Amino acid sequence: MGYETTALVIGGGSTGCGIVRDLAMRGIDATLVERGNLTHGTTGRMHGLLHSGGRYAVSDRASARECIEENRVLREIAGHCVEMTGGYFVKRPEDDEEYFQEKLEGCLACDIPAEVVSGRDLRADEPNLARDVEKAIRVPDGAIDPFRLCVANAADAETTGARIETHAPVTDVLVEDDTVVGVEVTHESGPGKRVHISPGTTEEIRAEYVVNATGAWAGRVGELAGVDVEVRPSKGVMTIMNVRQVDSVINRCRPKGDADIIVPHETTAILGTTDEEVSDPDDYPEERWEVDMMIDTLSELVPILREARTIRSFWGVRPLYEPPGTGTKDPTDITRDFFLLDHEERDGLSGFTSIVGGKFTTYRMMAERITDHICEQLGVNERCRTAEVALPGSEDLATLDERMDSFGLRSPIARRSRQRLGSRAPAVLSGTDPNPVVCDCEAVTRAEVRDAIDASGSDLNAVRIRTRASMGNCQGGFCCHRMAHELSPRYDEDVVRAAWDELVRERWKGERHALWGEQLAQAALNYALWATTMNVDGDPARTGAEVDFSAFDAGERGSEPGSATGVAADGGTRGDQ
Ligand SMILES: Cc1cc2nc3c(=O)[nH]c(=O)nc-3n(C[C@H](O)[C@H](O)[C@H](O)COP(=O)(O)OP(=O)(O)OC[C@H]3O[C@@H](n4cnc5c(N)ncnc54)[C@H](O)[C@@H]3O)c2cc1C
């Protein structure tokens, strides 16, 4: 007999993490399984905008109202994951005045605080904006860290008794007598906190109720259960600049169009985006012109973007859903609302519901709706408290500020740590061990890295998403090996090596789309650092091929009379051309 749980959630994005926390808080025995790390899907590849709702105030007022409602809730329960930058919808001379007025009215009608600001006042706040920007509508947009928020939800659920299983893809959905009774997962091997069961094995997890919260992949998981879930995945590109060219969220005030938003995020600014339907959420083209378009079009709003340094680009896939028969052609017209698909009602398959569509900003509300539904199915009578109870790290932020001095936390580095750790900062940072900076770009100290290792094991990508180490300007050139070093001696060398390899591969994935100008020089430097300190290419000493040690002394040509070179740089295996 396999493992048994009451409610099983498939998918460790914002929706799944929100659901598992809500279930656990209502006293339901819950398990979450995720095929990669937490935030492996769209949640780890989004803009980081805490919507005010302004973006939807003309086209989709229901979504706009949900956004402003949740915007207020998240500021309360997740203060350490949110930066209230404020946002502007800016109008250039060629943008439509009528639309500007509609946007303003729409915001006010949806209870979104909104006011018109002149171009002059706007540039006093945002000096890098183009001279010809005429005016703007100010709204309470913000920036939010999806990684920390998901981890906080999952960690809270774990503390309340839930089981969180990452790197465990669902490979089958178990159906008996028209009822879903559980799933089969495969435990993948590799570094990190991923092995409740031995790697490479499969496990049957039986559950009274199963939720499909796999976003753009919901159709695939639906297929495993024999039902249709009509998601319409739509990809969008985002390009990360090395500094914050703007300090507020800058939206272009026009009906729709690509490349119309800049979100300041931590030390960077993220440009976005596009909206193009794709058939496979795991396999779609990532094209250079998409990146160029971000920079070209958004330079109309912020001209210095043309000369600025790009550090990486990445793509995400929206989990859009349209009820069957709607047939919208343009993905930008598909609603951003979310849908709860009870497969008993739709397909005669009980014990199984999919949740699709929606936005990151409304993840908690989505989780509340589906947890209400599960409680109803299970006969549990507990109300939702996730809008009231702060997430770990977010309690007492005000009093924490007062205690900053007593912990010597006023330095810029400590301030950044405190932003990330919230109320956990004193506990993590007040030890007596030396606490050097591990990641200079993001100001992450050893204590923070070790704290993340305590929580996530040897998976350095999990450490990255908890701390932001390796996510700054140098993209890990100077800190990936330092992070790996912190795994020793707790983990064996082969585990440390594998963890470092995975981290470096993940960094390179996004950097390869930004190889020009200063970032190309940075990439070349990173390569040299990784090749010379960590042997990134795997020379014979690492791969086990035979090494001609004598070549190090004399070199192949060095042994020839009159040769100028004395040492074969590759250890003598390939010659010294
Ligand atoms: C370009 C872009 C920008 C965006 N920007 C914003 C923004 O700024 N603000 C905002 O509010 N929203 C934004 N969104 C929308 C938002 O990112 C998503 O709506 C949200 O993150 C979806 O979360 P999710 O948990 O439903 O899906 P996901 O995060 O995709 O989670 C689903 C999880 O299921 C897992 N999974 C899949 N198959 C299996 C399996 N067989 N077994 C186990 N696990 C499986 C996946 O690995 C994944 O981690 C953006 C979306 C895109 C594409």
Side-chain angles (χ1 to χ4, degrees):
M1 176 57 77
Y3 183 84
E4 287 187 5
T5 187
T6 305
L8 180 109
V9 182
I10 315 175
S14 49
T15 312
C17 292
I19 298 170
V20 77
R21 176 184 191 228
D22 199 340
L23 286 166
M25 282 175 70
R26 297 198 213 191
I28 296 173
D29 172 59
T31 299
L32 179 145
V33 289
E34 160 57 49
R35 72 171 177 167
N37 207 337
L38 295 179
T39 74
H40 177 81
T42 309
T43 301
R45 294 147 191 275
M46 49 84 94
H47 229 133
L49 169 67
L50 177 65
H51 282 278
S52 61
R55 277 181 87 75
Y56 306 116
V58 177
S59 58
D60 188 350
R61 288 196 177 174
S63 290
R65 287 196 182 89
E66 287 172 358
C67 283
I68 187 63
E69 199 179 314
E70 287 302 296
N71 174 303
R72 292 185 176 116
V73 170
L74 290 181
R75 281 191 248 166
E76 286 298 316
I77 64 158
H80 68 312
C81 302
V82 172
E83 184 189 351
M84 274 320 288
T85 57
Y88 294 102
F89 283 86
V90 305
K91 179 182 177 311
R92 283 182 50 82
E94 64 271 32
D95 297 335
D96 184 27
E97 174 62 27
E98 211 176 304
Y99 184 74
F100 186 87
Q101 294 305 329
E102 269 184 68
K103 178 73 83 184
L104 181 62
E105 283 157 25
C107 286
L108 297 173
C110 296
D111 191 28
I112 301 167
E115 59 173 341
V116 177
V117 180
S118 70
R120 194 158 162 210
D121 288 349
L122 180 58
R123 275 184 293 275
D125 271 359
E126 292 293 349
N128 289 329
L129 276 184
R131 298 280 112 199
D132 55 357
V133 165
E134 289 175 350
K135 57 182 176 178
I137 303 168
R138 186 174 11 226
V139 291
D141 280 341
I144 184 157
D145 187 314
F147 306 110
R148 288 205 298 276
L149 190 82
C150 284
V151 167
N153 273 279
D156 201 35
E158 246 182 347
T159 312
T160 325
R163 174 183 173 189
I164 309 288
E165 193 72 44
T166 56
H167 305 280
V170 166
T171 40
D172 200 7
V173 175
L174 310 174
V175 180
E176 290 171 7
D177 301 328
D178 293 330
T179 304
V180 169
V181 295
V183 299
E184 181 187 85
V185 297
T186 303
H187 292 277
E188 292 183 340
S189 58
K193 185 180 172 182
R194 59 176 73 186
V195 275
H196 287 89
I197 295 275
S198 308
T201 56
T202 56
E203 181 190 8
E204 201 175 284
I205 302 180
R206 314 244 342 156
E208 286 178 43
Y209 209 88
V210 175
V211 180
N212 175 10
T214 52
W217 293 266
R220 300 256 171 94
V221 171
E223 258 172 50
L224 295 176
V227 294
D228 280 338
V229 179
E230 303 84 356
V231 270
R232 293 186 51 184
S234 151
K235 74 164 176 172
V237 64
M238 283 145 291
T239 295
I240 309 187
M241 313 310 288
N242 71 324
V243 293
R244 291 165 65 126
Q245 283 84 9
V246 291
D247 269 330
S248 336
V249 176
I250 302 295
N251 303 272
R252 179 94 178 242
C253 191
R254 60 180 178 193
K256 58 179 168 180
D258 291 330
D260 64 353
I261 181 166
I262 308 172
V263 182
H265 194 75
E266 304 269 346
T267 54
T268 67
I270 308 182
L271 319 184
T273 179
T274 46
D275 201 340
E276 191 187 338
E277 197 158 349
V278 295
S279 51
D280 183 345
D282 282 320
D283 186 18
Y284 47 83
E286 297 179 345
E287 294 178 63
R288 169 69 192 267
W289 67 263
E290 300 173 271
V291 178
D292 290 346
M293 182 176 62
M294 290 305 108
I295 296 167
D296 290 346
T297 310
L298 283 161
S299 304
E300 292 171 11
L301 299 183
V302 180
I304 60 163
L305 288 174
R306 254 182 240 292
E307 282 88 49
R309 173 171 166 184
T310 308
I311 55 174
R312 65 192 282 126
S313 286
F314 62 104
W315 281 254
V317 183
R318 294 176 191 83
L320 302 183
Y321 174 83
E322 247 196 0
T326 317
T328 304
K329 296 262 178 332
D330 182 346
T332 56
D333 292 331
I334 299 177
T335 175
R336 266 44 181 171
D337 209 351
F338 65 89
F339 296 83
L340 200 150
L341 311 179
D342 180 341
H343 294 294
E344 184 169 11
E345 269 173 27
R346 289 175 98 226
D347 311 295
L349 182 68
S350 57
F352 189 47
T353 290
S354 298
I355 182 152
V356 283
K359 285 164 294 299
F360 176 85
T361 302
T362 54
Y363 88 93
R364 195 213 56 83
M365 179 184 271
M366 294 166 70
E368 176 175 347
R369 294 274 166 82
I370 198 151
T371 310
D372 284 349
H373 176 72
I374 299 168
C375 284
E376 211 177 291
Q377 305 295 310
L378 297 175
V380 173
N381 189 15
E382 287 290 334
R383 72 176 187 88
C384 176
R385 290 182 303 118
T386 55
E388 299 146 28
V389 181
L391 283 158
S394 192
E395 320 89 347
D396 295 336
L397 275 188
T399 48
L400 175 70
D401 276 341
E402 287 163 23
R403 294 180 58 201
M404 295 275 282
D405 283 335
S406 62
F407 286 100
L409 291 175
R410 286 284 174 190
S411 76
I413 289 171
R415 224 178 5 250
R416 297 270 295 132
S417 297
R418 172 250 186 258
Q419 278 164 3
R420 286 187 291 262
L421 293 163
S423 57
R424 295 185 58 244
V428 175
L429 301 173
S430 59
T432 51
D433 287 345
N435 190 19
V437 174
V438 172
C439 167
D440 299 87
C441 304
E442 290 294 315
V444 184
T445 63
R446 173 186 282 167
E448 257 191 271
V449 170
R450 288 190 174 169
D451 174 64
I453 292 170
D454 287 344
S456 57
S458 63
D459 183 348
L460 290 179
N461 277 310
V463 173
R464 171 178 64 80
I465 66 172
R466 282 167 164 81
T467 61
R468 283 190 66 80
S470 81
M471 290 171 86
N473 266 352
C474 83
Q475 291 287 293
F478 288 86
C479 68
C480 285
H481 64 286
R482 294 183 192 158
M483 291 165 73
H485 179 74
E486 293 304 326
L487 295 174
S488 283
R490 212 185 306 186
Y491 294 94
D492 291 341
E493 191 185 330
D494 55 340
V495 174
V496 176
R497 179 95 228 172
W500 179 81
D501 269 349
E502 262 195 18
L503 178 63
V504 167
R505 275 205 306 276
E506 169 60 36
R507 295 296 70 203
W508 173 243
K509 205 170 69 189
E511 217 187 336
R512 70 188 198 274
H513 301 290
L515 293 181
W516 63 86
E518 286 172 334
Q519 199 59 25
L520 176 58
Q522 180 75 60
L525 175 63
N526 289 359
Y527 174 74
L529 287 169
W530 293 340
T532 53
T533 61
M534 298 297 281
N535 195 8
V536 71
D537 279 341
D539 84 0
R542 183 176 152 208
T543 57
E546 203 172 311
V547 183
D548 175 9
F549 289 105
S550 63
F552 283 103
D553 302 326
E556 287 189 334
R557 278 188 288 141
S559 56
E560 292 163 14
S563 167
T565 30
V567 177
D570 62 350
T573 56
R574 288 192 305 245
D576 188 23
Q577 301 93 11

